[in-house]
Amino acid sequence: MSRQFISGNDAFALGILLAKPAVISAYPITPQTTVVERLSEYVESGELDAEFIHVESEHSALSCAIGASAAGVRTFTATSSQGLLYMAECLPYAAGGRYPIVMMNANRAIALPWNIYGDQSDSLSQLACGWIQAYAEDAQEALDFALMSYYIAEHPQVAVPFMVNLDGFHITHTYEIVDVPTREQADAFLPPYETENRIDFARPKNMAFSAGPGHNKIFRRNHHKAMLRSSEVIVECESRFAEFFGRRYSGLVDAYKTDDAEFVLVTLGSVAGLARDAADELRGQGAKAGVLRLRYMRPFPEEAIRKALAGAKAVAVLEKDISPGKGGAVFAEVSGVCESVRLNAIGGLGGEDISKESLRSVFAMLAEGKEGELWL
Amino acid sequence: MAVTAKNISRNEFFLGHKACAGCGASLAVRIALKTLGERAVATLPAGCMSAVGFNFPQLAFANNAIISTFAGTASMMTGIAAGLRRRGEKDVAVVGFAGDGGTADIGIQALSGAIDRNDDILYICYDNEAYMNTGIQKSSLTPFGAATTTTPAGRNIRGNPGKKKNMFAIVAAHGIPYAATASVGYILDYARKVEKAARIRGTKYIHVLAPCPTGWGYDVADTVEIAREAVDCGLWPLQEFEAGEFRLNRKPGNIAGVKDYLKRQGRFRHLTDADMERIAKPEGDR
């Protein structure tokens, strides 16, 4: 283990270096670009024995990754924003084919209007594409997700692709102190990728085929079940991770002082730290405030949310996206499992700062019994 | 040893599929796979051949085969080639079969990228000159004057007003190691080009004319004859591009045959003599 002062992108790239993908395909897009720059440097220096493929678009980046995964090797790609949307056709393709590709997505606003800064509109628009979706809070968790994502995605009980989301700039470009595992530790933690779902000359296969009515349902249901099963594999993976690296994660959600909380803010990504600070300040003034950070959006942490919010009087969801004509995507999902959800705070769009004061006001509005939508 | 009718593999790798009677494209896939053998990995985007070959549980490929996204034939092949290389697989032929729309329209970006990287793949475009699988819509490889369901021949417009994109020249302009045109009417010429391409490292491109009785409007028994006529009348010259040099494989014998070629196909039935002369002129639109 070494301690390094690095950006979230660099931390993630180190995690991928340790995971040793055999094929990396990528196309540059801000703010993801430095991840693949680091990886190409590792390939150049010989630290990473991988094929780095310069593709001509994000669509090709994921299409290429699907081909490599179908050949049976560990594969990585990364993207952001418009790039994620440009490759969108390939997202359910990779998932339906059950190819355990890992992709980093630097969460960023989508056009129009053009905006290169961070929000979560890109990945939250793709919740139904069949990928596991995790949201890191900081650079350390980003690195750890890079390692754990392969373990979970490649697990025989799961076999679905894994999207790790890092808040654009807030995580990708912010420097933090990160514990970096050694090569030996990483190798011991993460077994090599083995699968039968691959091109095989001894037993030739027809892959990525059509399935008509009747059969279609079976493949889709199997995929859904695998996603649900992945919740257990995530827990198993985190116990294993704690044994190897000493850092223990908390499953699909990260609950902060929710046990006795009357007012809870549900959110995801890097803003959670600020939310915890706000909750602590309010607790200092006698208000029972808590924060529930969703570490995963898929599989959706239904049970964990229900449990964490069971005693709450009023709940707000804070998210950096908007589904015009409805509201926040996360709000809609959390409302479906908890009756106490009252407020939908929309903030951080197009990279706008979210202040602690604004979070305190969200808690205050919950205490006042306010309902509806709130634009920070 | 050059492939011949006698020594070509008796094994079938593409059988039990649902292609129309007289399908030229299925012939192109079948012969290429017989030539390449069991170490071929076939990638097919959305299109006629994937639609007829991959209907679970009726899967028609005896070798490894996969459907790519429509635009992603070449990029998926890139990934497959890289993945197999990493697995230490040698003597593998990563081959793609994409239609004219899948190649010249939606797939051209990925194809250009693969050629640019000089990935070790063989890309075969089976050209039936329109989006046949979806019901005969115009592609950029539909020739001038052809009636399709999106370029109908009526009083105001007489079929496709545009001309056929020259994919062979576009591909050659990349400086590709090997490119060729072929026709299912000259099947041994085609098979030998596939065989030659398989021995060359880097990106290879073969553009095979594959007539479609359903879309072109001729009798299902005439596919091979029509495919020969297209070559003989000079509309579809058989060519190669290798090591930077162009080569014409076969001198067109019957330039006057253009009208006969056009007249026997329903899609050209509406053409006037002037239209046909325009098509026949070597410098004219095709």
Side-chain angles (χ1 to χ4, degrees):
Chain A
M1 194 94 73
S2 67
R3 305 202 92 189
Q4 298 188 28
F5 183 60
I6 50 178
S7 72
N9 274 349
D10 289 351
F12 197 85
L14 278 171
I16 296 301
L17 168 68
L18 292 170
K20 295 194 293 192
V23 175
I24 299 166
S25 55
Y27 188 75
I29 182 166
T30 302
Q32 163 266 129
T33 312
T34 56
V35 175
V36 292
E37 287 174 359
R38 287 301 91 76
L39 290 172
S40 54
E41 287 163 12
Y42 297 143
V43 171
E44 187 280 326
S45 68
E47 288 168 88
L48 178 58
D49 178 21
E51 298 229 4
F52 188 97
I53 300 172
H54 299 87
V55 287
E56 61 289 338
S57 75
E58 288 90 354
H59 189 281
S60 284
L62 192 46
S63 170
C64 178
I66 294 170
S69 191
V73 300
R74 185 170 289 164
T75 307
F76 176 72
T77 187
T79 193
S80 178
S81 181
Q82 303 302 109
L84 183 72
L85 299 190
Y86 194 67
M87 66 166 60
E89 182 199 14
C90 298
L91 293 172
Y93 212 91
R98 310 294 297 277
Y99 300 117
I101 298 159
V102 168
M103 172 161 71
M104 190 201 103
N105 180 58
N107 280 126
R108 197 189 103 186
I110 53 176
L112 281 172
W114 278 105
N115 180 303
I116 63 158
Y117 301 105
D119 72 31
Q120 293 154 342
S121 304
D122 50 4
S123 58
L124 290 174
S125 77
Q126 300 299 320
L127 287 173
C129 72
W131 286 54
I132 292 175
Q133 275 202 15
Y135 290 79
E137 184 182 337
D138 54 28
Q140 182 70 65
E141 192 179 23
L143 186 151
D144 295 345
F145 267 139
L147 273 176
M148 287 192 281
S149 59
Y150 280 108
Y151 185 91
I152 296 158
E154 293 171 357
H155 194 285
Q157 290 295 308
V158 180
V160 291
F162 197 121
M163 185 192 304
V164 184
N165 292 284
L166 276 63
D167 275 319
F169 299 102
H170 287 108
I171 300 180
T172 61
H173 285 59
T174 302
Y175 279 64
E176 297 177 71
I177 292 172
V178 175
D179 281 336
V180 182
T182 63
R183 157 68 54 216
E184 291 69 31
Q185 282 176 309
D187 284 351
F189 168 75
L190 185 62
Y193 177 42
E194 300 285 346
T195 181
E196 290 185 8
N197 182 26
R198 63 168 172 83
I199 291 162
D200 186 344
F201 293 102
R203 292 162 56 209
K205 286 189 184 66
N206 287 201
M207 306 174 88
F209 40 71
S210 309
H215 288 122
N216 198 282
K217 171 179 72 183
I218 295 168
F219 287 105
R220 299 288 285 168
R221 191 171 57 198
N222 286 345
H223 181 185
H224 178 50
K225 284 181 174 172
M227 286 287 274
L228 296 175
R229 276 198 301 273
S230 71
S231 304
E232 294 156 28
V233 176
I234 287 165
V235 172
E236 178 205 316
C237 174
E238 288 176 354
S239 310
R240 182 179 167 85
F241 191 86
E243 282 170 32
F244 278 82
F245 306 107
R247 280 187 298 284
R248 185 168 293 281
Y249 287 97
S250 53
L252 300 182
V253 301
D254 174 11
Y256 183 73
K257 299 185 180 172
T258 55
D259 283 352
D260 65 340
E262 294 180 340
F263 308 107
V264 178
L265 184 67
V266 178
T267 192
L268 60 170
S270 59
V271 77
L274 196 66
R276 285 193 293 264
D277 279 355
D280 280 344
E281 286 183 17
L282 290 166
R283 278 190 176 257
Q285 295 159 16
K288 287 187 174 172
V291 174
L292 183 66
R293 178 171 71 93
L294 308 183
R295 297 183 65 237
Y296 285 82
M297 280 300 289
R298 289 291 182 275
F300 187 65
E302 197 167 316
E303 281 305 314
I305 293 173
R306 197 173 280 136
K307 196 171 153 224
L309 300 183
K313 280 187 185 162
V315 173
V317 175
L318 165 66
E319 58 193 300
K320 302 176 180 177
D321 75 300
I322 179 72
S323 177
K326 176 68 173 90
V330 183
F331 176 79
E333 300 223 346
V334 176
S335 296
V337 295
C338 173
E339 288 177 358
S340 319
V341 178
R342 302 278 180 266
L343 266 179
N344 189 189
I346 306 291
L349 294 187
E352 189 173 20
D353 273 343
I354 297 175
S355 66
K356 201 190 292 177
E357 288 65 40
S358 67
L359 298 184
R360 289 165 60 103
S361 72
V362 173
F363 279 112
M365 288 175 78
L366 281 181
E368 288 164 21
K370 294 256 171 61
E371 298 190 352
E373 204 170 84
L374 172 68
W375 286 66
L376 300 184
Chain B
M1 187 173 61
V3 61
T4 67
K6 281 187 178 164
N7 71 12
I8 196 166
S9 170
R10 299 181 78 82
N11 291 334
E12 296 294 344
F13 296 94
F14 184 46
L15 71 170
H17 56 74
K18 299 180 175 187
C20 308
C23 171
S26 63
L27 192 54
V29 173
R30 176 178 168 229
I31 294 299
L33 290 179
K34 281 166 86 75
T35 304
L36 296 169
E38 61 191 19
R39 300 284 293 171
V41 178
T43 303
L44 298 93
C48 286
M49 292 303 100
S50 54
V52 304
F54 282 95
N55 296 291
F56 181 85
Q58 294 165 297
L59 301 168
F61 288 87
N63 57 313
N64 286 289
I66 185 167
I67 309 184
S68 72
T69 56
F70 204 177
T73 315
S75 49
M76 182 180 270
M77 291 165 76
T78 296
I80 290 172
L84 292 177
R85 202 158 47 236
R86 293 292 309 197
R87 288 239 323 270
E89 294 285 0
K90 294 194 172 65
D91 302 319
V92 173
V94 178
V95 61
F97 299 99
D100 43 284
T103 299
D105 291 342
I106 195 168
I108 195 168
Q109 174 175 311
L111 173 60
S112 178
I115 302 172
D116 177 52
R117 291 184 298 268
N118 200 25
D119 293 326
D120 190 17
I121 60 173
L122 166 56
Y123 189 108
I124 297 177
C125 169
Y126 61 90
D127 182 3
N128 50 26
E129 301 195 323
Y131 289 89
M132 296 313 186
N133 174 48
T134 45
I136 321 167
Q137 295 84 20
K138 176 206 169 298
S139 80
S140 62
L141 294 183
T142 301
F144 169 76
T148 69
T149 52
T150 52
T151 55
R155 259 189 310 174
N156 299 312
I157 301 172
R158 296 198 306 283
N160 177 27
K163 60 181 179 180
K164 189 178 177 77
K165 192 188 273 185
N166 191 341
M167 273 306 294
F168 176 65
I170 291 168
V171 165
H174 286 72
I176 192 171
Y178 181 75
T181 62
S183 162
V184 296
Y186 287 95
I187 204 76
L188 271 182
D189 171 80
Y190 167 62
R192 284 170 188 166
K193 285 169 175 167
V194 171
E195 190 181 34
K196 180 196 266 190
R199 284 199 291 262
I200 296 170
R201 297 277 72 83
T203 313
K204 291 80 62 174
Y205 176 85
I206 298 176
H207 193 126
V208 57
L209 188 70
C212 167
T214 313
W216 293 16
Y218 63 82
D219 191 89
V220 296
D222 295 345
T223 294
V224 168
E225 207 174 285
I226 294 239
R228 289 179 87 95
E229 272 185 44
V231 174
D232 294 346
C233 76
L235 283 180
W236 186 249
L238 300 183
Q239 310 171 73
E240 286 175 295
F241 175 81
E242 196 180 353
E245 299 289 328
F246 287 96
R247 183 162 59 245
L248 186 65
N249 300 124
R250 186 182 178 85
K251 217 168 179 173
N254 177 25
I255 304 292
V258 169
K259 280 190 185 178
D260 293 335
Y261 170 76
L262 297 171
K263 278 181 175 173
R264 64 188 297 185
Q265 301 175 46
R267 60 179 176 156
F268 294 122
R269 190 175 292 129
H270 55 281
L271 294 186
T272 62
D273 279 349
D275 289 334
M276 288 192 273
E277 272 157 31
R278 180 177 167 191
I279 293 169
K281 272 194 297 183
E283 72 276 20
D285 295 333
R286 284 170 176 172

